[in-house]
Amino acid sequence: MIAHALKLTVRKSRELFLTRLSYRTQRYLFIYITLGIPLLYFLSTRLLPILYAFNVSVREWDLLSPSKPYVGLANFKALFTDEIFLKSIANTFKFVVIGVPGQLIVGLFVALLLHNIKRLRGLFRTVYFIPYVTSIVAVSWVFRWILMRNGWLNEMLLNLGLEPQLFLQSPRQALILITLTMIWQSTGFQMLIFMTGLEAIPRMYYEAAAIDGASAWRKFRHITLPLLNPVIVFSAVIGVISYLQSFGQVLSMTNGGPLNATTTMVLHIYNLAFQQFKMGSAAAATVILFVVILVLTLLQLKVLNKKVEY
Amino acid sequence: MKKKSSVSIVTGSLIIALALAGCGSNNQANSTEQNKATEKPTDKATDKETDKKVTIEYWQYEFPAKVELINELIKEFQTLHPNITVKQTNFPYDQYNQKVATLVPAGKGPDVINLYYGWLPKYVSSGYLQPLPEDHFPTAEIESNFYPLVSAAKINGSYYAIPTAVRTLALFYNKDLLSKANITELPTTWEQLVDVSKKLTETDAKGQFVTEGFAWEPGAQLHHWYRDGLLHQAGGQDLSDDRRKILWAETPAGLEAFQYLIDFAVKHKVGINGFYENDSNAFMTGHAAINIDGSFRLGSIKKDFPDLNYGVAPLPSYKTKSAPSSFWANAIPKNVEGDKLKAASEFLEFLTSKEVQEKWVEQIGELPAQKAVATQDKYVNDEKLGPFISQLDDSRAHFFIDETQEKTLFVDATNEVLLNKVPVEKAFQDLVAKTQKLYDDYWAAADKK
Amino acid sequence: MSTQSVYKTQKNAKSPAERLRTLVIYLLLTLGVGIMLFPFLWMVATSFKLPQDVYNLRLIPETITFDNYAAIFKKAPFAQWIKNTLIISLIATSTVLIFDTAAGYVLAKFSFVGKQLIFLLIISTLMVPTEMLIIPWYLIANELGWSDTYWGVLFPGIITAFGIFLMRQFMDSIPSDLLDAARIDGLNEWRILLHIAIPLVKPAIITLIILTFIGNWNQFIWPLIVLQTEEKFTLPVGIVYFSSELKDTSNWILIMAGTTISIAPLIVIFLIFQKQIIRGITLSGMK
C-alpha cells in the first residue's frame, strides 16, 4: 500500500516537474540530446583518433614491442625513400585518373541511353544497379576466376583465335583490369545520379535549340553538359575520394602484385601496419594520404566549380 | 543499446585522451596488470576445489588436419594430466601474425604458440618470446636428438622454439604422365631434370600448355629450393655466420643457380606460373608432370585427390646434395609464468614426444623432428615418406628476417625477367641488393635495442 | 541526343533513321545487361558444377550438383558468418536510424545559435577517409579490449554523417506549420518527431535503412582488421579467408558457391526494395 502511494506521488511530482519545465527548456534539452550525442560521438571516433594517428606517426611503434619511442619525422623520411610507397602513390593516382573519368563517362553514357527510351527503362535501371549492392570482395573473386590464366576469358580468346593474355598477372594489364572492375561495380550508382540530373534539365532548352537547328552533339555540349555540371562535380569529388582509397579489390584480386604494379596507398598502409607491424610508418602514410585527399578535394571543388560559370 | 553505446563512447574517448597524454608503454603495463587482476579470481576459485588446476591456451594456424590432430592430442594429454586443461584457438594462415599481434597485447595471448620458423627472429627481437625452459629442454639434448636444421630456432644462443615435425621438399611426379612419355629413369641431376621436363611438356597447336613438364611457381616452393637447395648444390652459400650478409653473389654459384631456375620458364619453356592457379594445383589436377613440393602435400593429395597416381623422389643434385627444409615450432610467450609456465612446458614436452611425432607423420605427412623417430624402418622404407626422410641429413632451413618480404623480393626478381625482359644478371643483382637492404635494416634496428 | 524524347511526343510515326537509332540504343543496353550480369551467371553456374567440369566453358553444366553448397557449410562456418553479419548490420542500422533521424530533424527544423557550425562539423567528418582512422581505431580497440567483438566492428559506424545529411535534406521539406500546430496541441518534441515528422519522410527513412544495411553488410577493411577469430568473422572477411585457403586446392567451385551465398541475400533485398532504393538515391542526388 505504502509503496503504491509512494509510486503515485513520484509520478505526480514527475508530471508536475514536466509541466513546470518550460517549453524553452524542454526544447533545448531536446536539441542537446539529439545533437550532443552525435557531436560527442564524432569527437571521440573521428577527431580524437586523427590526433592519435598524428601521435603514432612520430613514433617507432612496433605492434609486438612494448616500447614506442618518439622518432620525430623519421617515419615520413623513411616513407619517401621507400620505393614501394612511392610506387603506391603513383598507382593510386593511376586508379584515380583512369577510374574517375571512366566511371563518369560510362555512367553518363548509360544514363543518356536510358533517358532516350521509354519501354523497359525500369528493368534496365534495376539490372545495371545490381553490381553496386554486391560485396566488393565476393565480386573480386568472381573476376579473378574469370580472368585467371586458364579462366573463361582466356579460353574465349583462344576460341576466337586470339592470343591469351596474362591479365591480372601482367604488370601492365592488372591495374586497368581492377579499375574496370571498380567501374563495372559503380556504373549503376553513377547512372542513377546522372539520370536524376538529366531529368532536372528543362525540356524547353532543347526545344529552343532544336528550333535553332542545333546538332545533337552541340546540344549535348552546350546544354546537357553545362547543366549537369553540379552533378559531375559531386560525382567527381566522391569518385576521387573512393578511388584514392582503393583496397578491397586490390587485396582480393592481386594483393598488390605483380611487381607492385597494383599496390595502392591503402594496401601499403595495411601491409606496413598489419603484415610488418610498423604502426608508426603506417600512421605516417595515413597522414600523407589524408593530406592528399584534403588537397585534391579542395582543388577539385575550386576548379570544377569554375566551369559552371561559362 | 543507446545507453550502453554512449557510455562506451565516453569511456572510449576518455581513454583515448589518456593514451594521447600518456602514450605507449604506460598503457601496455596497465593492460597487462588488468589482465592479471581478472585472471586471479578464477584461479583462486579453482584452487579451492582441487589443487592447482591450470588452463592453458594453444594457438596454431588454421590447417584442418592439424587442428583435428591437436584436438585429439589435447584429449590424450588431459587424461595424462587431469589438472591441466588445454584450449586450442586457430587463425587463418594469411593473417596469422596480425591476429596474434593484436590479441596478445589485448591480454588474450596464448601460453603455447605455434610459429613458422621464419617468423621467430621477428618475435624474438620484439621481446615477445621467452627461451624454452632449460630444465625441460636442455640445449645439449635438443642438439643431439633433433635434426640440425632445428638450429634455425636458436637465436642469441638459446632455443626459443621446438618443432614436433619438419618438412623437406622433394620431386613429386605423375606416374601416368611419365609412362605416357616413356620415361623410366627419374632425374637425379640438374641436367636430367631439364631433359625429362622437356620430354614431358605438351603444348597444343596454339602453343598453349596442355601439360607442364615442370610446374614452375616462384611464389610457392621455388624460393626455398633456390636458397636451401640449388644455391648450395652449385657451391654457393646463403648467409654469413653472423646472419648479416647475403652471400649469394659472393661466388658465381648464386647466379648460376638463379639462371638455372629461371631457364625452366624462359629458355626451356616447360612450365609457367599461374598455370591452373598454381604449381600444386596443376600437379594435383594432372596438368603438370613434375612438381617440387613439401611432405605436407601428401596429406592433402590423399584427401582431395585420392586417385592421383604419383610418386616421390629426392631432389636432383649438382655439385653436392642439399635439400630445403622448414618447420613450424612451438614457443612460449614471455609473460607466461608460474603454474602456467609449468603446464605449458609439460604440454610442449608432450607435443615433442616420440608418440606424437609418429601420429604427426601418419596423419599430417610432416616428418619427425627427431632423428631416432624419423629413421625407423617403417618410415624410411615408405614409398612416399622415404625420399623425404632420406634428404633430412643434407637439409637446410635458412634464416629469415621476414619471410613474406624475402619471398616477395624473390618472386619480383623472377617477374622482372619474365615480364619486363630484364637481363637475368641485372635482376639477380637487384635481388641481392634488395634482400641485403632488408637485412641491414633489420640489424640496424636490432643493434639499437 | 536528348531531344529524342521531345520528338517522340510530337509525332507518332517514326522515321526509319529514328527506328534504327532506337534499335541501336536497345542493342547497346542489352549488351550492357550482358556485361552486368555475366559475372554473376558464371559464378552461379560454376557453383553447381562437378569438380571435373570446373574448367568446362558451358554456362549450364551437364550435371547440376548441390553438393558444393553442402560442402562449404561443412568446410567453413558460413552459417555463423551470416549470423554475425546480420547482427552487426541490424544493430548498426537501428542506431543509425535513431541518431541520424533525430539529428537530421533538429538540424532541419530548429533554429538556434551555432546550428550551421554544427552541421558543418558533422559534414566535414565525411572528408576523413576510413583508412586514415583504421590504425588509431585498431589501437584503441586493442587498448579497450574491443578487438574481436561485435562492438569492435560496430563502434565506428553507429552514427553516420551521411545519414544525418540525408535526413536533414528530407526533413527540410516538412512544413513547419504542421510541427507548430502539434506543439500547440501540447505534444512534446519526442512525440512530434516520432508521430509527425518521421511518418512524413517514410520513403527517405526506408532508403536510409536499406543503404545503411547494405553498407554494413558489405563493409570490409575494418572488420578484416578488428576481427581475429573465425567464429567472429563477417561474410566478406570470411570469403577472403575461405577463398585464399581453397584456391590452393583447385576449389574454385566451392569459392563460387561461397561468393554466391554472400551475394545472393543482398540481391534479393535489392530486388524487393529496388523502388525505394533507387528513389532514395535519386532524391538525395537531386538536392
Side-chain angles (χ1 to χ4, degrees):
Chain A
M1 272 307 272
I2 297 168
H4 185 69
L6 211 80
K7 240 189 221 164
L8 266 178
T9 46
V10 167
R11 195 185 294 166
K12 246 192 198 147
S13 62
R14 236 187 88 210
E15 267 162 32
L16 226 74
F17 171 75
L18 279 177
T19 40
R20 257 192 230 143
L21 203 71
S22 70
Y23 169 70
R24 255 179 81 93
T25 330
Q26 206 201 89
R27 194 180 123 95
Y28 274 103
L29 199 65
F30 182 68
I31 295 176
Y32 284 141
I33 293 174
T34 50
L35 290 184
I37 293 174
L39 277 177
L40 206 62
Y41 173 78
F42 287 123
L43 188 76
S44 54
T45 62
R46 300 296 189 278
L47 190 65
L48 286 178
I50 290 178
L51 297 178
Y52 194 30
F54 279 102
N55 180 1
V56 176
S57 73
V58 292
R59 290 173 185 281
E60 188 187 312
W61 188 304
D62 183 328
L63 197 53
L64 283 168
S65 149
S67 76
K68 276 113 189 169
Y70 174 82
V71 292
L73 295 178
N75 288 327
F76 291 91
K77 271 187 211 147
L79 277 176
F80 283 106
T81 56
D82 173 357
E83 258 177 64
I84 303 176
F85 180 68
L86 296 178
K87 189 145 196 196
S88 81
I89 295 182
N91 288 337
T92 307
F93 277 102
K94 282 187 205 160
F95 273 107
V96 172
V97 168
I98 304 170
V100 176
Q103 177 174 332
L104 292 179
I105 291 167
V106 174
L108 183 58
F109 184 67
V110 176
L112 284 171
L113 291 182
L114 283 177
H115 196 66
N116 275 288
I117 61 164
K118 283 227 158 69
R119 251 179 269 171
L120 298 177
R121 194 198 274 197
L123 181 72
F124 282 123
R125 206 172 52 180
T126 305
V127 170
Y128 280 79
F129 201 75
I130 287 177
Y132 186 72
V133 299
T134 56
S135 134
I136 284 174
V137 176
V139 162
S140 301
W141 278 93
V142 175
F143 275 94
R144 195 171 157 163
W145 167 223
I146 291 173
L147 293 171
M148 68 178 262
R149 196 181 272 269
N150 305 87
W152 181 85
L153 199 55
N154 262 336
E155 292 293 325
M156 275 297 151
L157 290 179
L158 279 169
N159 287 349
L160 294 172
L162 299 167
E163 278 284 300
Q165 298 295 313
L166 288 172
F167 294 131
L168 296 175
Q169 285 185 316
S170 151
R172 281 161 209 87
Q173 298 169 2
L175 187 137
I176 294 171
L177 286 167
I178 296 177
T179 319
L180 286 178
T181 315
M182 292 157 101
I183 294 175
W184 172 84
Q185 205 164 9
S186 53
T187 295
F189 177 77
Q190 199 62 65
M191 155 206 88
L192 218 54
I193 301 286
F194 277 130
M195 279 175 81
T196 319
L198 286 175
E199 263 147 38
I201 299 176
R203 278 193 182 162
M204 48 182 220
Y205 288 136
Y206 294 111
E207 281 159 23
I211 292 166
D212 290 349
S215 70
W217 168 250
R218 282 182 64 90
K219 276 181 268 179
F220 174 73
R221 176 70 187 79
H222 294 287
I223 302 172
T224 317
L225 222 45
L227 285 170
L228 271 183
N229 199 59
V231 185
I232 294 174
V233 173
F234 169 77
S235 303
V237 172
I238 302 269
V240 167
I241 294 180
S242 75
Y243 281 91
L244 278 176
Q245 299 177 34
S246 310
F247 173 75
Q249 287 93 343
V250 180
L251 183 83
S252 303
M253 288 170 80
T254 57
N255 198 9
L259 291 172
N260 291 310
T262 55
T263 304
T264 60
M265 286 174 82
V266 176
L267 181 68
H268 192 59
I269 289 169
Y270 174 81
N271 285 334
L272 280 175
F274 302 111
Q275 301 294 330
Q276 299 169 34
F277 306 149
K278 291 178 184 160
M279 289 292 154
S281 307
T286 61
V287 170
I288 295 170
L289 177 65
F290 180 60
V291 172
V292 169
I293 291 185
L294 205 68
V295 169
L296 273 188
T297 311
L298 294 178
L299 217 69
Q300 265 181 306
L301 287 173
K302 247 193 162 147
V303 172
L304 287 170
N305 262 331
K306 255 189 199 152
K307 275 192 184 160
V308 139
E309 285 150 24
Y310 70 86
Chain B
M1 187 62 223
K2 198 164 156 187
K3 232 182 203 167
K4 197 188 155 198
S5 58
S6 52
V7 167
S8 314
I9 291 158
V10 174
T11 51
S13 48
L14 277 176
I15 294 177
I16 297 160
L18 282 177
L20 282 168
C23 291
S25 50
N26 295 340
N27 298 315
Q28 203 71 30
N30 282 344
S31 66
T32 43
E33 250 171 41
Q34 267 171 12
N35 297 324
K36 274 182 207 155
T38 50
E39 274 165 23
K40 264 178 193 157
T42 51
D43 281 352
K44 267 181 195 158
T46 46
D47 277 357
K48 278 175 197 163
E49 291 160 28
T50 56
D51 59 330
K52 306 270 178 199
K53 266 213 169 205
V54 193
T55 302
I56 54 169
E57 282 242 15
Y58 178 72
W59 285 9
Q60 70 165 343
Y61 70 113
E62 178 75 47
F63 187 88
K66 286 190 181 181
V67 175
E68 275 166 40
L69 180 57
I70 285 285
N71 276 333
E72 201 180 294
L73 292 173
I74 285 174
K75 268 186 212 146
E76 206 176 298
F77 177 74
Q78 286 175 349
T79 44
L80 291 169
H81 301 267
N83 60 327
I84 303 175
T85 312
V86 185
K87 213 179 136 247
Q88 179 182 208
T89 308
N90 311 105
F91 302 96
Y93 169 78
D94 274 351
Q95 317 233 321
Y96 191 71
N97 282 310
Q98 184 223 319
K99 304 303 173 196
V100 171
T102 301
L103 289 171
V104 169
K108 295 178 189 166
D111 301 294
V112 179
I113 181 165
N114 191 244
L115 294 169
Y116 183 66
Y117 87 94
W119 301 340
L120 290 171
K122 193 158 67 178
Y123 278 82
V124 171
S125 69
S126 305
Y128 177 73
L129 300 176
Q130 56 177 298
L132 296 176
E134 188 73 20
D135 51 337
H136 284 267
F137 301 96
T139 306
E141 216 168 273
I142 295 178
E143 288 185 342
S144 67
N145 293 346
F146 285 79
Y147 278 102
L149 64 100
V150 170
S151 67
K154 189 180 185 183
I155 297 164
N156 308 328
S158 343
Y159 277 88
Y160 278 85
I162 189 86
T164 303
V166 295
R167 314 98 74 91
T168 58
L169 299 184
L171 282 189
F172 283 64
Y173 58 92
N174 186 313
K175 287 183 178 169
D176 296 339
L177 291 173
L178 255 70
S179 58
K180 204 172 116 191
N182 291 322
I183 290 168
T184 47
E185 292 270 308
L186 289 168
T188 57
T189 66
W190 280 21
E191 240 171 277
Q192 286 172 7
L193 180 62
V194 172
D195 289 342
V196 167
S197 300
K198 279 186 188 161
K199 280 183 200 144
L200 286 164
T201 305
E202 195 191 328
T203 51
D204 63 14
K206 291 164 192 152
Q208 299 302 307
F209 281 118
V210 178
T211 313
E212 286 180 317
F214 179 78
W216 191 83
E217 197 73 46
Q221 306 302 332
L222 295 189
H223 176 219
H224 294 280
W225 190 37
Y226 176 76
R227 282 184 76 170
D228 292 317
L230 298 176
L231 181 65
H232 296 274
Q233 291 180 0
Q237 268 186 307
D238 185 45
L239 260 185
S240 63
D241 286 339
D242 60 1
R243 293 171 169 173
R244 281 168 190 261
K245 192 159 179 353
I246 298 284
L247 301 177
W248 310 345
E250 296 300 297
T251 59
L255 180 59
E256 188 186 1
F258 189 69
Q259 178 87 50
Y260 176 73
L261 188 96
I262 292 276
D263 279 348
F264 281 100
V266 177
K267 193 171 149 205
H268 314 309
K269 295 189 174 22
V270 292
I272 196 68
N273 53 328
F275 182 63
Y276 284 96
E277 193 66 35
N278 58 36
D279 61 332
S280 54
N281 222 346
F283 181 77
M284 291 190 291
T285 51
H287 293 99
I290 293 180
N291 187 28
I292 288 183
D293 214 337
S295 40
F296 44 85
R297 194 71 61 196
L298 297 175
S300 43
I301 296 181
K302 202 196 257 174
K303 196 159 148 261
D304 295 328
F305 297 88
D307 301 330
L308 189 69
N309 184 18
Y310 75 104
V312 181
L315 293 174
S317 54
Y318 181 36
K319 292 175 182 161
T320 56
K321 282 184 178 178
S322 182
S325 56
S326 64
F327 56 93
W328 285 77
N330 294 312
I332 304 177
K334 186 164 253 172
N335 58 356
V336 181
E337 46 194 31
D339 291 341
K340 285 200 181 227
L341 180 58
K342 238 181 99 196
S345 310
E346 298 270 359
F347 187 55
L348 213 54
E349 232 174 284
F350 171 74
L351 285 182
T352 45
S353 66
K354 180 171 181 262
E355 296 72 42
V356 173
Q357 291 188 32
E358 290 191 348
K359 279 200 177 140
W360 206 271
V361 64
E362 275 144 29
Q363 293 190 32
I364 315 286
E366 289 184 336
L367 317 169
Q370 286 182 352
K371 271 184 227 167
V373 187
T375 50
Q376 297 176 86
D377 287 347
K378 59 176 169 178
Y379 301 137
V380 174
N381 297 334
D382 185 274
E383 186 205 357
K384 302 262 158 62
L385 287 172
F388 287 108
I389 291 172
S390 71
Q391 300 184 96
L392 271 172
D393 284 323
D394 306 311
S395 71
R396 290 164 215 271
H398 69 266
F399 173 84
F400 271 119
I401 56 150
D402 186 324
E403 184 238 355
T404 324
Q405 288 197 71
E406 288 176 51
K407 189 203 260 178
T408 307
L409 288 178
F410 186 81
V411 173
D412 284 356
T414 63
N415 270 333
E416 288 285 3
V417 178
L418 209 65
L419 303 170
N420 289 346
K421 310 281 178 250
V422 169
V424 176
E425 297 79 20
K426 171 93 177 45
F428 178 71
Q429 278 159 13
D430 283 353
L431 171 63
V432 176
K434 282 181 182 165
T435 312
Q436 185 62 53
K437 179 162 188 308
L438 216 58
Y439 276 69
D440 291 345
D441 291 348
Y442 169 82
W443 286 109
D447 290 344
K448 247 193 334 201
K449 278 175 189 162
Chain C
M1 248 178 155
S2 302
T3 47
Q4 184 61 27
S5 48
V6 180
Y7 272 121
K8 263 190 255 166
T9 50
Q10 280 171 349
K11 45 181 183 176
N12 283 328
K14 288 182 189 170
S15 69
E18 254 173 74
R19 274 165 193 271
L20 185 70
R21 230 172 69 108
T22 316
L23 186 72
V24 170
I25 289 178
Y26 275 99
L27 276 177
L28 283 172
L29 283 170
T30 315
L31 181 76
V33 167
I35 295 171
M36 290 295 140
L37 291 188
F38 174 75
F40 297 117
L41 292 179
W42 188 238
M43 167 185 84
V44 175
T46 309
S47 75
F48 286 115
K49 283 183 179 173
L50 292 171
Q52 60 267 31
D53 295 335
V54 61
Y55 293 104
N56 187 320
L57 286 191
R58 286 175 60 130
L59 195 58
I60 297 166
E62 274 169 73
T63 327
I64 291 177
T65 172
F66 289 88
D67 292 355
N68 305 318
Y69 286 90
I72 62 163
F73 275 94
K74 230 190 277 167
K75 280 204 183 228
F78 260 92
Q80 180 68 31
W81 293 345
I82 292 172
K83 192 182 132 200
N84 294 342
T85 318
L86 200 63
I87 291 175
I88 286 167
S89 307
L90 284 177
I91 295 178
T93 308
S94 348
T95 56
V96 163
L97 183 66
I98 295 166
F99 292 115
D100 289 16
T101 313
Y105 169 68
V106 170
L107 285 172
K109 301 311 310 179
F110 283 64
S111 52
F112 49 90
V113 183
K115 183 172 116 169
Q116 283 310 316
L117 183 71
I118 290 175
F119 181 61
L120 221 74
L121 270 176
I122 291 177
I123 289 307
S124 65
T125 63
L126 278 175
M127 296 270 292
V128 183
T130 319
E131 285 66 20
M132 163 99 200
L133 295 163
I134 268 183
I135 288 167
W137 281 345
Y138 170 77
L139 296 171
I140 291 162
N142 278 358
E143 289 290 338
L144 301 179
W146 295 348
S147 77
D148 209 28
T149 62
Y150 287 153
W151 172 245
V153 183
L154 281 165
F155 83 87
I158 54 174
I159 305 177
T160 65
F162 169 77
I164 294 178
F165 172 74
L166 188 77
M167 291 326 287
R168 193 196 87 122
Q169 301 297 81
F170 282 98
M171 296 282 191
D172 217 26
S173 59
I174 299 173
S176 296
D177 298 350
L178 212 63
L179 304 174
D180 286 338
R183 279 181 195 121
I184 290 162
D185 286 350
L187 257 67
N188 74 37
E189 294 296 342
W190 293 105
R191 279 168 184 273
I192 296 174
L193 169 62
L194 206 64
H195 297 297
I196 299 179
I198 288 179
L200 285 173
V201 291
K202 217 164 134 201
I205 294 214
I206 294 173
T207 308
L208 179 67
I209 292 176
I210 296 165
L211 287 182
T212 313
F213 186 86
I214 292 176
N216 276 284
W217 185 280
N218 288 336
Q219 68 162 326
F220 175 56
I221 185 168
W222 177 238
L224 173 74
I225 286 161
V226 79
L227 295 175
Q228 325 296 343
T229 46
E230 220 179 356
E231 312 86 74
K232 296 279 169 43
F233 285 172
T234 58
L235 268 174
V237 182
I239 283 286
V240 167
Y241 287 132
F242 177 74
S243 309
S244 314
E245 262 157 47
L246 279 184
K247 79 171 179 6
D248 289 337
T249 52
S250 190
N251 264 320
W252 279 100
I253 293 177
L254 296 188
I255 296 176
M256 288 303 115
T259 52
T260 306
I261 286 183
S262 78
I263 285 178
L266 276 202
I267 294 190
V268 171
I269 291 178
F270 168 66
L271 290 179
I272 295 172
F273 294 105
Q274 51 143 322
K275 279 212 179 96
Q276 282 89 340
I277 296 175
I278 286 177
R279 208 175 120 196
I281 292 176
T282 316
L283 286 174
S284 59
M286 216 154 65
K287 302 217 168 187

